[in-house]
Amino acid sequence: MSSTLAIVISLLLLMYLAYRGITVLLLAPLMAALAVFLSGDLHFFLPIYTETFMKALSGYVLQFLPIFLLGALFGQLMADSGAANTIARWIVQRLGYQHAVITVVLACGLLTYGGVSLFVVAFAIYPIAKNLFKAADIPKRLIPATIALGSFTFTMTAMPGTPAIQNAIPIPYYGTNVFAAPGLGLIASAIMLFGGWWWLQSRVRKAQAHNEGYGHHASDTAGTTTETLADTATPVRGPLSVMPLGLAVLPLVLVIGVNALFTYVVFPNTNFAALEQQFPQVDATKMAGLWALIIALVTACLTLVLTRLGRWENLKETINQGVFGFMLPLFNTASEVGYGAVIASLAGFAVIRDAVLNLSPENPLISEAIAMNVLAGITGSSSGGLSIALQTLGANYLAMAEQVGISPELLHRVAVMAAGGVDTLPHCGAIITLLAICKLNHRQSYANIAAVTMGVPLIALITVITLGTLFGSF
């Protein structure tokens, strides 16, 4: 009982201190140490750190470093080449300020589904969204929720084939790929997109009925550090601000297309016998999904570099900036995985594990959804919560699913969508960053962010669990 209480205290402090802005890189080992200390396992203190925390952290880095690195590099190349800006402005020109909300949502959605980092997208789209909302006289306080709907929801967790890291994390645990349960993913995406759009449009109509308008915001003209950062992060860099639309869209098509080609054609028809003989510890069927995503991102990055060869403002700086940008997100998440491994090694975790697994033993999808939501909410990170949950409970859920005839693909899609449920609580780093970019605060914008990133996605999650239980994965 004391060990279980130690875990609860550690988790609550992790959530509170993360909300206060302390880095997870420091918090994760400290809170893991606190849990060990409070549980009374002091004689195992150093071995738990070196053999449990560090092994879990390094194992995660070893497995997912290429995805984080290539994703960050691709996002930077898309930004600095002018491709992201070209796509965003093309959508704006087609839909116009009369449809400001859906214009911003679609621009964010297309870029994030194509593999551009959600942070790069937020920086790039904010100046465009600000001008659109001002022209349409829509309250600025709705901009963060609009960007969040396009960047943090359906393209992150539900769209089949999305290269978001959240969609890649379950692959080695369940032996799936990023296209898992495509039909259910599309249904969930539609619910998130249209449900979120309906909500935001209802807020627009309410604001118009009260003659609220865009509002006066001194920060729009004050030239603050955040504004300057947002403007310079927008992919408008001299001669690269415009590029042909076809070339701009090509890398996004390649990320999805090459991934699908290797997932459904090349790897299923490849004999991995020689590879598994040379590397007996490698399960090719489980790793093929990650390999396909790596090949797709490499292909897209090379295509961007080669198609703009001779036109880069500073290609070396772009590559360096993109590569450096992957380190903090990777090690933040890896530290949370190390923390989860330590918690799972404590005696008190067995009580928590059994309670979670027994929530709905006949339908592990419900238990999985609750576990992913809770851990994502506590850590304020969909990738962090998902990684901790799969590290500690993934094998259990896979075994339970096999017993009741639930496919790993359905487990995959439910896990990813659940991790994108309550991950956007107020202490979520992505939400804090988004509000800083828009120069707004929680009081002004958080309620609408919560509606489109938690309320509507939870409806989509319940729908997928219901359909998956009735009809299986499709």
Side-chain angles (χ1 to χ4, degrees):
M1 184 63 182
S2 61
S3 181
T4 304
L5 182 61
I7 292 172
V8 173
I9 292 172
S10 171
L11 284 170
L12 291 175
L13 278 173
L14 176 67
M15 181 170 62
Y16 173 75
L17 293 173
Y19 176 70
R20 302 296 296 178
I22 299 177
T23 174
V24 173
L25 289 174
L26 180 62
L27 276 181
L30 285 180
M31 291 303 102
L34 178 65
V36 173
F37 175 77
L38 293 177
S39 65
D41 294 332
L42 288 178
H43 52 297
F44 296 133
F45 186 80
L46 288 177
I48 283 178
Y49 177 74
T50 57
E51 300 303 311
T52 303
F53 183 91
M54 288 306 300
K55 278 190 175 179
L57 182 151
S58 59
Y60 186 88
V61 171
L62 181 68
Q63 198 158 55
F64 291 106
L65 184 147
I67 306 300
F68 277 88
L69 188 153
L70 291 170
L73 176 59
F74 178 64
Q76 196 65 47
L77 289 170
M78 284 290 292
D80 289 356
S81 67
N85 185 63
T86 296
I87 293 169
R89 293 192 182 280
W90 180 81
I91 294 174
V92 170
Q93 290 167 2
R94 291 298 178 277
L95 298 180
Y97 71 87
Q98 303 94 330
H99 307 285
V101 170
I102 194 62
T103 296
V104 173
V105 170
L106 292 179
C108 293
L110 181 59
L111 291 172
T112 50
Y113 184 58
V116 183
S117 162
L118 58 88
F119 294 107
V120 172
V121 170
F123 276 122
I125 296 298
Y126 166 65
I128 297 172
K130 183 181 68 174
N131 293 334
L132 277 174
F133 276 53
K134 188 178 292 185
D137 206 25
I138 297 172
K140 182 185 177 182
R141 61 182 175 81
L142 295 177
I143 290 179
T146 306
I147 293 176
L149 174 59
S151 304
F152 300 177
T153 60
F154 60 99
T155 57
M156 186 179 81
T157 65
M159 282 291 288
T162 177
I165 186 62
Q166 291 82 356
N167 199 31
I169 289 172
I171 291 174
Y173 298 98
Y174 294 153
T176 49
N177 58 64
V178 293
F179 295 92
L184 290 169
L186 288 173
I187 292 171
S189 297
I191 292 172
M192 292 185 202
L193 172 59
F194 292 108
W197 181 25
W198 171 84
W199 174 266
L200 290 173
Q201 285 297 118
S202 72
R203 299 306 92 190
V204 170
R205 289 192 295 270
K206 184 176 179 180
Q208 290 172 340
H210 289 85
N211 296 315
E212 181 178 346
Y214 179 80
H216 175 70
H217 301 273
S219 58
D220 284 351
T221 56
T224 61
T225 302
T226 307
E227 178 72 15
T228 303
L229 182 59
D231 286 341
T232 55
T234 305
V236 183
R237 297 181 60 168
L240 298 182
S241 61
V242 177
M243 68 182 292
L245 179 64
L247 287 181
V249 173
L250 178 61
L252 306 186
V253 174
L254 287 173
V255 169
I256 306 302
V258 172
N259 196 342
L261 176 66
F262 277 85
T263 297
Y264 292 113
V265 179
V266 177
F267 286 151
N269 294 298
T270 300
N271 187 346
F272 289 110
L275 183 148
E276 291 174 343
Q277 184 176 0
Q278 182 70 24
F279 301 96
Q281 75 281 8
V282 174
D283 186 343
T285 57
K286 284 191 173 183
M287 295 304 296
L290 282 179
W291 293 342
L293 184 54
I294 290 170
I295 293 170
L297 287 170
V298 168
T299 303
C301 287
L302 287 174
T303 299
L304 263 172
V305 171
L306 294 176
T307 55
R308 302 300 287 169
L309 210 57
R311 296 184 175 88
W312 291 96
E313 185 174 308
N314 191 331
L315 180 57
K316 182 178 73 173
E317 180 186 347
T318 293
I319 292 174
N320 286 343
Q321 191 173 348
V323 170
F324 294 154
F326 90 96
M327 295 181 186
L328 185 59
L330 172 61
F331 280 94
N332 274 341
T333 308
S335 294
E336 291 171 340
V337 170
Y339 169 82
V342 172
I343 295 300
S345 71
L346 300 178
F349 180 75
V351 177
I352 298 173
R353 180 197 61 210
D354 293 343
V356 171
L357 293 176
N358 291 326
L359 283 171
S360 179
E362 71 284 352
N363 190 347
L365 296 176
I366 297 174
S367 170
E368 182 186 49
I370 293 173
M372 304 296 167
N373 264 299
V374 169
L375 285 169
I378 288 172
T379 58
S381 165
S382 55
S383 58
L386 181 61
S387 299
I388 292 173
L390 289 176
Q391 179 82 14
T392 55
L393 299 171
N396 298 91
Y397 285 129
L398 187 59
M400 291 170 66
E402 289 174 350
Q403 290 177 359
V404 296
I406 292 176
S407 74
E409 286 74 21
L410 184 53
L411 276 180
H412 176 125
R413 187 55 54 212
V414 168
V416 178
M417 288 182 58
V422 297
D423 60 315
T424 49
L425 288 171
H427 65 287
C428 172
I431 297 304
I432 293 170
T433 300
L434 176 59
L435 290 172
I437 292 170
C438 299
K439 293 182 294 302
L440 294 165
N441 57 44
H442 282 77
R443 182 177 60 82
Q444 293 169 305
S445 298
Y446 182 71
N448 289 301
I449 293 175
V452 300
T453 63
M454 291 195 293
V456 177
L458 286 174
I459 294 172
L461 175 62
I462 293 170
T463 303
V464 166
I465 292 174
T466 303
L467 292 175
T469 301
L470 293 174
F471 304 108
S473 178
F474 60 89

